[in-house]
Every structure is written in C-alpha cells, then in structure tokens.
Amino acid sequence: MTVRPPRRQLANAIRVLSMEAVEQANSGHPGMPMGMADIAEVLWNDFLKHNPLNPRWFDRDRFVLSNGHGSMLLYSLAHLSGYPIEMEELKQFRQFGQRTAGHPERDLDIGIETTTGPLGQGLANAVGMALAEKTLAAYFNQPDIKIVDHYTYVFLGDGCLMEGISHEACSLAGTLGLGKLIALYDDNGISIDGETSGWFTDNTAERFRSYGWHVLDSVDGHDAESISTAIKSAQAQNQQPSLIICKTVIGYGSPNKEGTAATHGAPLGTDEIAAVRAELDWNHPPFSIPPDIKSAWDAKPEGASLEAEWQERFDAYQTHYPELAKEYLRRMEGRFPENWKEQAASVISTIAKEAKDVATRQSSQRALEAYAPLLPELLGGSADLTGSNNTFHSKSTAIDSTNAKGNYIYFGVREFGMTAILNGVNLHGGFIPYSGTFLVFSDYARNALRMAALMKIQSILVLTHDSIGLGEDGPTHQPIEHIASLRAMPNMQVWRPCDAVETAVAWRAAIERKNGPTSLILTRQGLPHVERTDSEIQLISRGGYILLDCEDDPELILMATGSEVKLALLAAKKLFMDGINVRVVSMPCTEIFDAQSKEYRSHVLPNSTAKRLAIEAGAKDSWWRYINGKGDVIGMETFGQSAPANLLFEHYGFTEKAIERAAYELLST
C-alpha cells in the first residue's frame, strides 16, 4: 500500500515551485503562493470538483485566483494536478510567448477560468459565475435529477478587499443569496507598502456579515484540519455566500523574510531559497517533484470518475427531459437556436417597416423586445437606471434571493461591479450578458470593460445619454471623450446608431459577436427614422456605408454617427440645391468598417480630391484618420453645460447651418 506523503509536503511542492520560478524569472510574487499553499492543497485535493482531462466539463467547480499576482500558485496547482502545463513552462515563468504569464490569463486548457491581476475583479467574476450557476440550476435542474450543481471558489487578499469593487460585488452577492460561492481570504496583514495596519483596519468579518454573508473567522490557514472544517461548514450553508478568513503568514517557510513585504513582489534570492529548502526539509533538485508527491497530487483519475458520474446523470436527464437537455447543451456550447439568421433578419425587416421617430435608447428596447424571445440566454440588468437605459423588456423577470429563475438583475448603483460580474456570467457559460448605464459612467466600469476586451469575451454594453443631447443634467453627465476612449480600446466594438434600424442591426451584431465586448451608444433625445432600400439595410452591418449619394463623383463627403446623421442629411440636401455633389456616409461602427476589404472602404471613402467633413457630438480624436488631411471635424473640444439640448446643439455648432458653413469653407480652400 502506497503511503500518502504528509499534507505539508504536498503544500511545500507549491511553495518550492513558486519561489524557484520567480527566482529564475528574476521577477514575480512568491509570498502569496507560499502563504496560501496549505489552503490550496486542502481545497484542490479534498474539495474541488474538476477534471484535468476535460477542463471544459460544464459542471466543474470554478476556481478563481482574484489575487492574481500570486499566479505561480495557480500554475503550480495546474501542473501538479495533471493539466497539460509542463515543467518547462514553469521554468519559463513571465517570459515572452509563454502561458505562464505574470498574472493569470484565461486559458481553460490549463484550468485558468479568468484573467486576473487588477485586484478585486476576480472576486466580482466569481460572483458572476456563482450567479450563473444558481440561475442555470433554477432553469434546468429537476426534483429527481440535478445537472447544474457546482461551487465557485475564489482566493483573495487584502488588496482585493481594499478595492471598492469588492464592496459592490460582495454586497450584491449577499443580497442575492449566492450560497454556492465560497471565498477564502488570505489574511496576512501585508501588502506592497508593508503592514496593512496603517491603512486597512476594517473589521472584515463584520463587514461581510452586514452584506448577508456566512463568515468563518480566524481560521488557521496553515492547519489542514481547520481549513477543511471551514470549507465543510461553508458548503453546508446554501442560503448565503461564505467568507473563510484564513490567518496566514506571507512567504511561509522563508526563515528570514516570512511575514514581511520583502516576500510580496520580489525574488527571495539564492541564499534565502537555500534557507527555505532547509526549513521545509525539501532536498530535491530545482523544478523537481518526487514521484510520490506528484502521484498524490494527480487529479486525473478522480476527475474522470466525477465527470463520469455526472455524465450518467445527464444521460438519464436526456432520457426524461430531452428538450431541456437539448436546450442546456445549446446554451452551454454557445450555439444559436435553429433559424437564428432568418429570425434575426425578420426582426430587422419588421423594425424597418414599423420604425418611428424615437430616441435610440427606445429603439434599443424595441430590438431587445424582438430578440429576447428568440434567445432565453439573454441575461442583463442596469446600474439603477432601468427606466432610463430601457434595458427591461416584457419577457424580463428579476432575479432575487428567492427567485433565481429570472433573466434580469437590478444591480443598484454599481457600474464597475455590474460589468465585472457579467464578465463572470459570460465566463461561466450559458448566457449572453448585457448591462446598462449612462455613457458618461462607462468610466466607472472601464477596467472591467478592458478585461472583457482583453479576454475576448462577449458583453453587450447599453450606454445611453450619449452626448450634450441629454441636456439639463449638465457637464457631469454629458459624455465628451467617452466614445473616442472606447474606440481606442483594443477589441472593443463601438456602435452609435442613428435610428431604429441601425440600432436593431447593432444589437444583432453584438449578439453574434462572441470574441469581444460591444458598446451600444444611444441617445436620450428622439431621432428621425431614415428611409433606406433593402440593399442599404444590408450594408449597415459593414460598419459604414453610403446613405445618400450624388450622380457624379463627390466633391464633399459628410461622415456622421448617431444624432448627427440627420444633420448631415439635411445639410447635404441644401448643398445639393446649390449644385454641390455631396455624399453622406453613416458610420455607426468604425471598427467593423475598418475590417472591411480595401475595395469596399475605397468605394465608400474614395482616395480622391473630395473634401471630407466628419460630424459627431463628442471628442474629435478618433475621426482625423478618416479625414486624411482633406477636411475637418465638427466635434467637442470642451465640456458641456446645463441647458436644454436644442440650445446646447446650437451653441456648440451641431446644426444644419453650421455644417453648411463648414462645408463651404472647405470647398473654398
């Protein structure tokens, strides 16, 4: 009979691999992996339901490393447990082109569920994952068979709890009663600047109890039995999320540096590594794991058995509930319903026939009304602006602590938390998430938007009140630089539609885009419906297209988005009357237009002597590349003011006459 190595030695494998990789890279954070190694060993070896042979198993437990600077903990766990991450990759920690990046980057092949590093966001992602699990369970589980039944575990540190997003996300998690969310807090009292007692004196236990969490306080984070007892207690509490506060020593095992900031973000050094080896009684060569320890860590046999048990249940589920099983697989695999393309085209055609002069935020709701019955996986909400963002549709049902079988979340005033939580919902699988707030408050959510773009995951952002056109609320609420800022973000697609038809096309594009987030920039004020031919409607999906043209080569090209398209059309008609050949280009999504063929782009914006004038009620920055030295931009260069919208547009030059004057000036040069 094989004797299992002592638990401390299993944990020491994490400690040694982590400090060795950091030392070899001459860069990294050894302290957290060394401090949390005992917690990780208990969780991964005794509780975590996962299968390294199939990292995409739908009913696996989710594990999130919110304190992502301790990435070597996760890489060590993945390697030891049997995920396809080789020792050579640990040796190449933080090197160019390697999967062992400085902070974990989402890679399901090696068990990394989400990209973390910006502190607190992993915790919010975990809230989203737990929310997705609870909601899917409410939809698909039956009294006799559960096919959605897993936990979300998240490691976090002092920094995560200092970040404001932790309040936003954890407060809501308690309110929603996410009982299968278990957070393990590395309470070591140390951050980069030293002992946190000088800047972080919160009573964390009482703080989380006030959120409605189940709190297990003062758990010895270096005692396996205490950790195990706490996790069992957390699992038994299914009505509240649980916080396990683990008292730990950062850099545990480093005789001269443990318990200090010296272990946080720098290599230990060769002398201290030798001292750690002696302290831990680890007499093996660098990057070498003894066979008995490697065998004890191997999670493949147990993982395969766990998945096989689940598959047996799912097979029975398919027999008894075939339609539900089919829908569950469709959603978890991210496939669209049959005939989606035809149905979506029908939605756009119907909206084109019925379109009225309305604000595009209302057009957005109309599109949502049409798409939602076709896509039960649409799950969204608003940051306390539901009535303003128009994100609630007739099929919306609010999720709360007593009813998880819904598709709408009242997020409260939590823009950052909302966006990061919905990232977690997407990462879990089974949903297409969308959120709502004012465009100006995308700043609050920005880092979560950036993480969605970085991870190449789908999120639909309904951003209303898109310009000075919101009027009397004034400059604090009037976005200026925000559209240009979002366009500057890699892998973000930004749509600013001019009417109901462009809005419906934008929604379809956002729904179909699986590899990145989409921002829908929408007006508060009403906009006129633009008549189009069927072929022009088809061209909207190309991001930019000719909306009005002249018979001969254009002398002037007017480019516009959103509320300014109507002004460009009105100005063009006046210029036509004066005998000027004008082309009007609607450019609802510059990113998609830029991805079109050179031939198409040259057709819309020919490299000719034609002057170009772009019009958008926002910062000018993103338009100069389309002007190409041949014209000008009518945009905003200052903040707005508090006044009725029509007066503001007049004051800042967004009128038909102002466009005409600018056109004549260009044509005269």
Side-chain angles (χ1 to χ4, degrees):
M1 180 177 177
T2 304
V3 177
R4 182 181 175 87
R7 306 200 74 134
R8 181 54 55 81
Q9 283 295 87
L10 297 179
N12 286 345
I14 298 172
R15 293 187 169 98
V16 173
L17 283 175
S18 297
M19 72 177 187
E20 288 174 344
V22 170
E23 188 69 24
Q24 181 142 317
N26 195 30
S27 173
H29 300 76
M32 187 281 269
M34 297 175 75
M36 294 196 80
D38 296 304
I39 305 167
E41 189 278 321
V42 172
L43 176 64
W44 277 61
N45 282 327
D46 292 359
F47 294 96
L48 194 70
K49 183 176 70 172
H50 66 123
N51 182 9
L53 295 170
N54 181 14
R56 289 170 172 77
W57 172 28
F58 295 145
D59 202 44
R60 68 190 181 277
D61 289 338
R62 270 52 171 186
F63 175 76
V64 175
L65 191 74
S66 187
N67 42 353
H69 55 274
S71 57
M72 268 310 303
L73 175 79
L74 185 49
Y75 304 144
S76 299
L77 287 166
H79 171 75
L80 292 167
S81 297
Y83 287 87
I85 176 170
E86 303 302 324
M87 186 66 79
E88 190 60 33
E89 294 182 86
L90 303 190
K91 293 179 182 179
Q92 294 298 314
F93 177 54
R94 288 187 163 222
Q95 302 309 302
F96 181 79
Q98 298 296 316
R99 296 188 295 180
T100 47
H103 292 83
E105 297 178 12
R106 184 189 183 223
D107 187 343
L108 289 184
D109 288 340
I110 56 174
I112 303 176
E113 300 280 356
T114 181
T115 300
T116 57
L119 293 177
Q121 282 201 65
L123 177 56
N125 293 167
V127 171
M129 293 174 186
L131 173 62
E133 189 276 342
K134 185 172 183 177
T135 302
L136 281 172
Y139 271 97
F140 290 104
N141 285 352
Q142 299 301 309
D144 57 333
I145 307 178
K146 290 183 178 180
I147 61 166
V148 183
D149 188 16
H150 53 266
Y151 289 92
T152 299
Y153 298 98
V154 55
F155 279 10
L156 60 134
D158 294 302
C160 293
L161 294 181
M162 284 186 260
E163 289 286 1
I165 191 175
S166 69
H167 166 74
E168 294 184 28
C170 294
S171 171
L172 186 61
T175 297
L176 295 177
L178 301 181
K180 302 191 82 171
L181 172 63
I182 299 176
L184 296 109
Y185 165 33
D186 182 27
D187 185 14
N188 60 38
I190 297 291
S191 64
I192 293 176
D193 282 349
E195 295 184 10
T196 59
S197 56
W199 49 86
F200 184 51
T201 58
D202 299 16
N203 187 328
T204 299
E206 291 306 310
R207 171 186 164 190
F208 273 75
R209 288 188 180 105
S210 76
Y211 294 155
W213 284 54
H214 171 227
V215 178
L216 297 115
D217 201 358
S218 300
V219 174
D220 185 345
H222 301 296
D223 180 75
E225 185 175 345
S226 297
I227 298 163
S228 181
T229 299
I231 294 174
K232 289 175 182 176
S233 176
Q235 288 183 335
Q237 172 52 266
N238 59 13
Q239 300 301 312
Q240 297 172 287
S242 293
L243 177 70
I244 302 174
I245 301 177
C246 301
K247 294 292 184 180
T248 62
V249 176
I250 190 172
Y252 185 93
S254 174
N256 301 302
K257 294 186 178 183
E258 68 177 18
T260 72
T263 69
H264 174 86
L268 298 180
T270 54
D271 291 344
E272 189 63 14
I273 283 180
V276 172
R277 289 176 172 278
E279 181 77 11
L280 300 180
D281 192 26
W282 188 272
N283 302 309
H284 313 291
F287 295 104
S288 177
I289 303 298
D292 60 333
I293 291 179
K294 189 67 183 294
S295 177
W297 266 105
D298 187 4
K300 295 193 295 294
E302 176 69 11
S305 176
L306 289 168
E307 184 174 356
E309 291 174 12
W310 177 84
Q311 188 62 52
E312 187 175 336
R313 289 200 311 277
F314 189 73
D315 290 344
Y317 186 87
Q318 284 183 303
T319 298
H320 291 89
Y321 309 102
E323 292 304 314
L324 282 174
K326 181 180 178 182
E327 178 67 3
Y328 172 77
L329 288 176
R330 181 190 72 77
R331 287 177 57 170
M332 291 303 293
E333 291 169 0
R335 291 182 284 109
F336 287 108
E338 294 179 10
N339 302 319
W340 159 254
K341 292 289 186 184
E342 295 81 3
Q343 291 173 322
S346 178
V347 166
I348 293 168
S349 177
T350 300
I351 286 177
K353 292 174 184 175
E354 300 175 352
K356 301 176 182 177
D357 295 359
V358 295
T360 50
R361 62 171 175 158
Q362 293 171 291
S363 299
S364 171
Q365 186 176 40
R366 172 67 181 87
L368 196 51
E369 278 290 342
Y371 291 129
L374 309 176
L375 299 167
E377 58 264 45
L378 277 170
L379 182 147
S382 170
D384 202 47
L385 290 167
T386 294
S388 293
N389 298 149
N390 296 94
T391 43
F392 196 90
H393 55 83
S394 61
K395 301 294 184 183
S396 293
T397 301
I399 295 171
D400 59 32
S401 61
T402 62
N403 176 36
K405 196 174 183 180
N407 57 4
Y408 196 82
I409 306 150
Y410 289 101
F411 279 101
V413 188
R414 297 181 175 100
E415 295 89 355
F416 191 7
M418 169 182 68
T419 312
I421 287 169
L422 288 177
N423 284 350
V425 167
N426 175 279
L427 291 164
H428 178 279
F431 295 97
I432 297 175
Y434 69 93
S435 61
T437 188
F438 289 170
L439 174 57
V440 74
F441 299 139
S442 64
D443 280 344
Y444 281 138
R446 185 173 179 84
N447 204 262
L449 307 184
R450 185 176 188 271
M451 294 300 282
L454 180 63
M455 287 189 278
K456 299 181 180 179
I457 61 172
Q458 182 175 34
S459 188
I460 302 172
L461 314 159
V462 178
L463 301 171
T464 69
H465 295 60
D466 71 343
S467 71
I468 55 173
L470 67 89
E472 291 87 345
D473 277 343
T476 59
H477 285 53
Q478 293 166 2
I480 302 299
E481 72 279 17
H482 299 76
I483 299 174
S485 175
L486 288 169
R487 286 182 181 138
M489 184 181 293
N491 201 39
M492 171 67 76
Q493 286 189 357
V494 181
W495 282 83
R496 189 173 184 242
C498 73
D499 68 355
V501 180
E502 285 193 355
T503 304
V505 173
W507 258 104
R508 181 182 64 182
I511 287 168
E512 292 180 349
R513 185 177 191 231
K514 299 291 188 179
N515 64 347
T518 303
S519 294
L520 304 178
I521 312 298
L522 308 169
T523 67
R524 175 183 182 271
Q525 74 275 20
L527 299 183
H529 169 61
V530 178
E531 292 292 339
R532 298 175 183 82
T533 64
D534 289 343
S535 60
E536 287 171 337
I537 293 174
Q538 294 297 317
L539 290 173
I540 296 172
S541 62
R542 305 189 77 164
Y545 64 104
I546 299 169
L547 189 57
L548 182 68
D549 209 2
C550 49
E551 293 183 3
D552 298 319
D553 292 338
E555 302 169 71
L556 174 69
I557 300 174
L558 301 178
M559 296 173 278
T561 72
S563 52
E564 287 67 69
V565 171
K566 66 176 181 181
L567 300 177
L569 289 170
L570 290 171
K573 290 175 182 177
K574 177 63 169 62
L575 294 167
F576 274 137
M577 293 173 62
D578 290 347
I580 298 171
N581 291 323
V582 183
R583 171 177 293 177
V584 176
V585 173
S586 179
M587 192 85 80
C589 184
T590 60
E591 295 82 11
I592 292 179
F593 177 75
D594 291 345
Q596 301 303 304
S597 68
K598 182 179 180 181
E599 290 74 18
Y600 178 76
R601 287 182 281 120
S602 297
H603 167 67
V604 175
L605 298 176
N607 187 21
S608 65
T609 58
K611 300 293 186 179
R612 300 181 183 185
L613 181 63
I615 312 106
E616 187 172 67
K620 299 179 178 182
D621 303 58
S622 58
W623 285 103
W624 292 111
R625 58 196 171 118
Y626 299 107
I627 297 303
N628 199 24
K630 300 176 181 178
D632 202 356
V633 180
I634 298 176
M636 294 290 296
E637 295 181 312
T638 67
F639 293 114
Q641 300 181 53
S642 179
N646 61 327
L647 297 180
L648 292 173
F649 280 126
E650 178 79 29
H651 177 75
Y652 290 104
F654 297 99
T655 65
E656 173 189 351
K657 290 183 178 180
I659 295 172
E660 291 170 22
R661 286 195 299 271
Y664 286 123
E665 288 178 12
L666 280 178
L667 292 168
S668 66
T669 59

